[in-house]
Amino acid sequence: MHSVSRYGAWLLIVTLVAMPVSAGNAVASVDDTARETGTVPAHFMAGAADPGVYLVKFTGSPDTSRVDTYLREQGILLERDYREVGVYRIRISPRADGERALEQLLRLPEVEYVEPDYPLRIALEPGGGIPLPADALFGSQWALHNTGQLGGIPDADIDAPEAWEHAAALSPVVVAVIDTGIDPTHPDLIHRLWTNPDEIPANGRDDDHNGYVDDMHGINTITGSGDPLDDHGHGTHCAGIIAAEGNNGVGIAGVGEDVRIMAVKFLDDSGSGSTSDAIEAINYAVAEKKKGSPVRVISASWGNLFYSRSLYKAIFTARSHDILFVAAAGNYGLLNDVQPFYPASYPQDNIIAVAATDDTDRLAPFSSYGTRTVDLAAPGVSILSTVPGGDYAMYTGTSMAAPHVAGVAALLFGEQPDASFLHVKKRILSGVDRIPSLGPKVASGGRLNALGALEAP
Ligand code: CA
Ligand code: CA
Ligand code: CA
């Protein structure tokens, strides 16, 4: 088993080294080719990772000083240590013979596997982002309350106002939005930010000794700083869907009530990020839960087509701490049962994979699906939410569907703070509105309904 997995990793690396494809080109080409043929081109699976950066898993507790010395001799730098997952990020010096260095590394008995540090991408449809005036308000939020305002079918929505009526006194719930960051000064989000209780703001010190200076509302794992400012817009949009302040007279209302958003930035201003930075983001949310913050949900509106054992392990760590992981099913319009999209398709029971529907309750044409690997659908077309600069915009994608589910999960955890992730997941899935056309598309055969979830046992 040991040698098989090392051989598997080696095969992957050979392919990768032999076919250097730039991430940008590969991502651009997969959308069109995949939709036309229903398959993903081989070059996409082979390429699209930084050829100098890998994740290494050691068996047991390696003698790190011995390993470090050995690696330096091969021109390999141990860059970061993801201790919770037992994984290290390594960088091969551009001056070293990369292929030979990897070969030497795989010969070490301490090495369990090596895999590329795969890039991850937001699940947003291009051409979205129609700017709207800040006073467009609740009337445009068809996903929460559909009156046919955009030409759709009345009540093809998640029954949010009905759910808010129904919800009893709620305990605070923290949702970690692992994304492009957040605009912390947005008027609809400013009162919805999680605050690190052990950190003193703006004193230039890491008061709680968690490795991040002044991390009041989250972190940026690209820079390692305590400032998750959103330079893209995607993260702020997802955060608003979950938690925008309702009944404050401005903008929109989020699905959850009294939710706090932990902003964990790992995606850059183009919406891309690395697997290692995603792992660090998940580890941060888990670590803050261990310190005492009620982090019950991670919202993940991104992914790729690569199976990463390291990312899998990180999500398993979240599971061990009773955190539900809500993931976008992806925008390739593919059957995920055959062509998985990760992290949505990892076989872990704390993951809920979410497809996207429009305001007529039809599966969006771009949305991936699968009755074995996609749990339910939720609104994801022309969704109005917050964007940086105090503005609002309509975005489209399974990226927008997942946060609706994260918001409903927060409502359920607020009502039942001691509920397990499994119980909340079960209530969400049994509370869906069953839609005949979704029967052959998603496991539950339905679209999210907040009231249905609250009324489910
Ligand atoms: Ca800190
Ligand atoms: Ca501080
Ligand atoms: Ca508002």
Side-chain angles (χ1 to χ4, degrees):
M1 199 58 211
H2 185 74
S3 62
V4 169
S5 71
R6 284 171 63 184
Y7 182 62
W10 178 231
L11 271 184
L12 193 56
I13 288 156
V14 170
T15 324
L16 191 81
V17 171
M19 302 202 61
V21 179
S22 92
N25 291 342
V27 170
S29 64
V30 76
D31 280 333
D32 305 331
T33 319
R35 284 194 199 128
E36 280 161 24
T37 63
T39 57
V40 176
H43 73 264
F44 182 81
M45 295 305 292
D50 183 336
V53 182
Y54 297 89
L55 299 177
V56 183
K57 171 80 165 63
F58 294 105
T59 53
S61 336
D63 177 349
T64 40
S65 61
R66 191 184 85 82
V67 170
D68 194 36
T69 309
Y70 184 82
L71 293 183
R72 278 173 195 283
E73 284 168 11
Q74 308 296 331
I76 298 175
L77 181 66
L78 271 184
E79 268 195 336
R80 292 296 303 270
D81 167 5
Y82 306 98
R83 214 162 298 156
E84 297 86 344
V85 189
V87 168
Y88 289 76
R89 185 172 75 200
I90 61 164
R91 182 177 295 275
I92 300 171
S93 159
R95 291 185 302 276
D97 177 347
E99 215 164 311
R100 196 183 127 72
L102 282 170
E103 197 174 356
Q104 294 297 324
L105 179 64
L106 284 160
R107 286 210 184 118
L108 279 180
E110 291 94 337
V111 171
E112 185 182 325
Y113 67 79
V114 180
E115 64 182 4
D117 189 6
Y118 295 119
L120 291 156
R121 278 285 300 168
I122 52 175
L124 177 73
E125 279 296 284
I130 305 158
L132 289 173
D135 57 2
L137 297 173
F138 188 71
S140 298
Q141 289 187 274
W142 71 263
L144 306 197
H145 183 58
N146 193 346
T147 58
Q149 61 269 68
L150 298 185
I153 297 171
D155 203 33
D157 58 40
I158 72 164
D159 286 340
E162 294 90 335
W164 297 330
E165 282 291 309
H166 180 281
L170 297 173
S171 299
V173 177
V174 178
V175 177
V177 177
I178 296 182
D179 209 284
T180 63
I182 196 170
D183 171 8
T185 62
H186 197 293
D188 251 348
L189 295 172
I190 193 166
H191 300 126
R192 288 290 180 264
L193 302 174
W194 166 79
T195 298
N196 183 349
D198 306 317
E199 187 70 36
I200 299 162
N203 66 351
R205 296 230 288 270
D206 177 16
D207 302 288
D208 60 352
H209 310 293
N210 66 351
Y212 306 96
V213 172
D214 296 341
D215 54 319
M216 295 312 300
H217 308 301
I219 56 168
N220 175 336
T221 67
I222 307 166
T223 59
S225 82
D227 179 13
L229 191 72
D230 187 2
D231 50 7
H232 180 282
H234 188 265
T236 300
H237 198 274
C238 292
I241 293 170
I242 298 165
E245 187 174 354
N247 273 330
N248 65 346
V250 298
I252 59 152
V255 175
E257 286 188 297
D258 223 15
V259 182
R260 293 293 178 269
I261 295 294
M262 174 187 287
V264 198
K265 176 176 176 63
F266 89 99
L267 296 163
D268 63 17
D269 59 2
S270 76
S272 297
S274 69
T275 295
S276 57
D277 285 340
I279 291 168
E280 184 179 347
I282 294 167
N283 287 349
Y284 180 81
V286 171
E288 291 306 313
K289 169 122 197 280
K290 280 155 84 175
K291 273 170 59 189
S293 290
V295 184
R296 301 308 312 274
V297 184
I298 288 173
S299 193
S301 288
W302 39 267
N304 63 22
L305 303 170
F306 304 109
Y307 181 96
S308 163
R309 294 165 69 170
S310 307
L311 185 56
Y312 181 95
K313 280 172 196 285
I315 298 168
F316 191 81
T317 308
R319 180 191 188 280
S320 309
H321 291 88
D322 214 357
I323 296 173
L324 188 66
F325 193 97
V326 183
N331 297 352
Y332 291 118
L334 292 174
L335 176 60
N336 283 4
D337 298 353
V338 173
Q339 172 51 66
F341 181 79
Y342 301 109
S345 300
Y346 288 125
Q348 296 198 54
D349 57 4
N350 66 323
I351 295 177
I352 298 192
V354 189
T357 45
D358 65 12
D359 66 352
T360 66
D361 267 340
R362 270 191 302 231
L363 189 76
F366 59 80
S367 178
S368 294
Y369 58 96
T371 52
R372 283 191 288 118
T373 54
V374 180
D375 293 294
L376 78 169
V381 176
S382 302
I383 302 300
L384 183 70
S385 186
T386 47
V387 290
D391 289 334
Y392 299 85
M394 276 186 179
Y395 284 6
T396 289
T398 52
S399 273
M400 282 65 244
H404 282 97
V405 174
V408 171
L411 278 175
L412 297 176
F413 280 120
E415 194 197 37
Q416 285 190 330
D418 299 326
S420 66
F421 73 80
L422 212 51
H423 185 56
V424 163
K425 180 177 173 179
K426 190 176 138 252
R427 290 178 79 192
I428 289 171
L429 296 183
S430 66
V432 297
D433 279 335
R434 282 179 182 77
I435 311 290
S437 65
L438 294 177
K441 300 291 185 185
V442 295
S444 64
R447 182 252 307 130
L448 177 72
N449 188 294
L451 181 64
L454 280 165
E455 287 178 343

